[in-house]
Amino acid sequence: MVTPTVSESEAASLLAELISYDTQNPPGREAACSEFIVEWLTDAGIDAELVYEPFEDRPQVIATIGSRAPGADHLVLNGHIDVVPPGDREQWSVDPFEGVVSDGKVYGRGASDMKSGIAAAMLAGRWAEAAGIDGTLTLTFAVGEETAEPGTKTLVEDLDADAGIVLEPTELEVHTVGKGLAWYVATIDGEPAHASRPHVGNNAVDGLFAADTEITNYRETIAERTHPLIGESLCTPTMVEGGTKENVLAERVELRFDRRFLPAESIEEIDVEMDRLFDPVREQGFDVSVERTRTYEAAEIPTDAPIAEMVREHSAAVAAAPTEPAGKEAATDQRNLVNDAGIPAIIWGPGTPEQSHTFDEYARVDLLVDAVEILAKTIEERC
Ligand SMILES: [Zn+2]
């Protein structure tokens, strides 16, 4: 087999086309882009279909290339079609949903996170279909990643695959571990009273400051939990809402916080810690309830897992990418492959991580072209 080269102009125009579909989530407008991907793959001779689960009106994509023989080597490539909203359009110097190609870069929402990853997988899939492979290659392009919906989970949980690549932006550096994320809301209930007679009530604002002190102490404790590739556990208060009126002791305050955790920490144990954390606030007469509102679990595979070694080697050879062990501080769908489907998977892709969720987001076309070549070499060796 000869490894392919895709031209920069073809790679850039495919990425621009993917960006031109406004797939912002919320609300989750992936359908037209999913249809385009299936059509493109079908034109390339690939068996591709829309999957109307878990949402009837938000189809996602699965495509299969190769033998499908039981026991054959089976590699899964995974990407998410949704993007975060563009935010204030005035801050963009280009239309975030046009796909402007300029100076070796493609600009637009999702360029790096992660439509360049999807473009790389589509082009590598087309190559594999044309070259013919003995094993199996499955492409999974999911909805709902940006809001922790079960898109990827639905696509991969029944796959009998033995390696996976989640195409989040890493500039072709292999990451074997991803941090987990949980959001919590603590509701602090006090006793309202007229502000002229504050001793009669119990001010939920005081409860809020007491709660914040507990979070600060907790943060110092969990900072001792560290991972060599993704650093320490974190807990950060991020949103506050509450109070009734200027002259009323606050009846209720809601405090939201963001908890980043390591693979060694279980979410059930963290829930217990979160609840106990506010016992000192309860002792001051406040009712405090704690609820977890969103979860992305952490995931990890060994740094020397075969898929990691293989992609690291090809990335170094093709693009001089760094080969040191690395991890991602943000949460990804790697957890669905590793934790839910038992597929050893790395996080690796052509996007630039610092570009994720920014104004004037872009992806580098040279890295996209390199990614196609690295994927093709990996498919050739693996399947
Ligand atoms: Zn992403």
Side-chain angles (χ1 to χ4, degrees):
M1 278 195 246
V2 182
T3 330
T5 37
V6 56
S7 72
E8 293 217 347
S9 65
E10 190 189 12
S13 68
L14 176 59
L15 175 53
E17 181 133 24
L18 289 168
I19 290 169
S20 74
Y21 292 93
D22 173 352
T23 57
Q24 63 179 295
N25 178 28
R29 293 188 187 134
E30 299 94 344
C33 192
S34 294
E35 284 161 16
F36 162 71
I37 293 170
V38 165
E39 210 178 290
W40 190 97
L41 293 170
T42 305
D43 285 348
I46 295 169
D47 182 3
E49 60 181 301
L50 295 168
V51 176
Y52 292 89
E53 277 178 76
F55 307 112
E56 262 175 41
D57 55 343
R58 291 170 60 193
Q60 38 186 14
V61 179
I62 192 159
T64 315
I65 297 150
S67 72
R68 302 169 183 78
D73 286 328
H74 187 172
L75 176 68
V76 183
L77 303 182
N78 169 262
H80 63 82
I81 299 165
D82 60 324
V83 300
V84 292
D88 180 5
R89 302 252 180 155
E90 298 288 305
Q91 303 289 328
W92 285 77
S93 57
V94 295
D95 180 338
F97 298 110
E98 190 183 327
V100 174
V101 184
S102 166
D103 256 351
K105 299 180 183 115
V106 184
Y107 289 82
R109 174 54 82 230
S112 270
D113 184 12
M114 55 183 285
K115 286 178 170 171
S116 55
I118 291 179
M122 291 166 72
L123 292 162
R126 184 181 71 179
W127 171 81
E129 177 67 33
I133 52 173
D134 297 328
T136 307
L137 174 68
T138 302
L139 310 180
T140 58
F141 301 132
V143 300
E145 191 274 345
E146 296 290 1
T147 46
E149 290 160 317
T152 292
K153 187 176 179 186
T154 311
L155 291 173
V156 302
E157 62 189 349
D158 296 326
L159 285 182
D160 187 17
D162 40 26
I165 303 175
V166 177
L167 296 150
E168 291 282 0
T170 69
E171 287 199 333
L172 310 180
E173 182 181 58
V174 170
H175 293 195
T176 50
V177 53
K179 235 177 197 174
L181 152 66
W183 288 345
Y184 289 89
V185 54
T187 305
I188 303 157
D189 283 320
E191 194 66 48
H194 198 288
S196 64
R197 303 178 68 236
H199 54 279
V200 177
N202 200 10
N203 192 346
V205 172
D206 294 336
L208 165 71
F209 286 113
D212 187 58
T213 302
E214 297 309 322
I215 290 179
T216 303
N217 296 338
Y218 177 69
R219 189 163 52 213
E220 281 165 21
T221 311
I222 63 172
E224 287 164 17
R225 303 175 194 167
T226 62
H227 185 287
L229 302 182
I230 51 174
E232 62 196 45
S233 281
L234 297 167
C235 186
T236 309
T238 49
M239 291 172 79
V240 170
E241 195 178 354
T244 310
K245 197 170 178 291
E246 287 85 341
N247 60 352
V248 180
L249 267 63
E251 178 180 340
R252 169 171 285 190
V253 175
E254 279 184 359
L255 172 62
R256 290 172 192 267
F257 46 98
D258 172 296
R259 176 74 167 80
R260 303 278 162 162
F261 60 98
L262 309 178
E265 301 180 277
S266 89
I267 191 65
E268 292 78 17
E269 285 163 9
I270 296 171
D271 281 349
V272 172
E273 289 180 355
M274 285 297 144
D275 195 52
R276 284 197 196 135
L277 181 59
F278 300 111
D279 280 347
V281 185
R282 294 186 182 106
E283 279 159 25
Q284 294 175 39
F286 298 100
D287 275 341
V288 185
S289 62
V290 180
E291 188 195 345
R292 171 157 48 90
T293 57
R294 182 158 299 180
T295 319
Y296 293 77
E297 283 174 8
E300 180 170 30
I301 63 167
T303 54
D304 62 354
I307 183 67
E309 299 276 28
M310 196 180 291
V311 176
R312 218 178 261 134
E313 191 183 306
H314 291 311
S315 300
V318 171
T323 54
E324 291 299 304
K328 199 161 182 68
E329 287 177 6
T332 75
D333 279 353
Q334 181 202 21
R335 72 192 188 286
N336 296 130
L337 279 82
V338 174
N339 303 355
D340 298 320
I343 303 168
I346 57 168
I347 308 164
W348 172 95
T352 297
E354 293 76 23
Q355 288 296 317
S356 300
H357 305 189
T358 57
F359 297 126
D360 284 349
E361 178 180 350
Y362 67 77
R364 282 169 50 186
V365 180
D366 60 334
L367 293 178
L368 170 54
V369 170
D370 286 347
V372 180
E373 188 166 343
I374 294 159
L375 285 175
K377 284 180 187 296
T378 304
I379 293 163
E380 186 172 20
E381 194 178 338
R382 192 90 205 24
C383 310

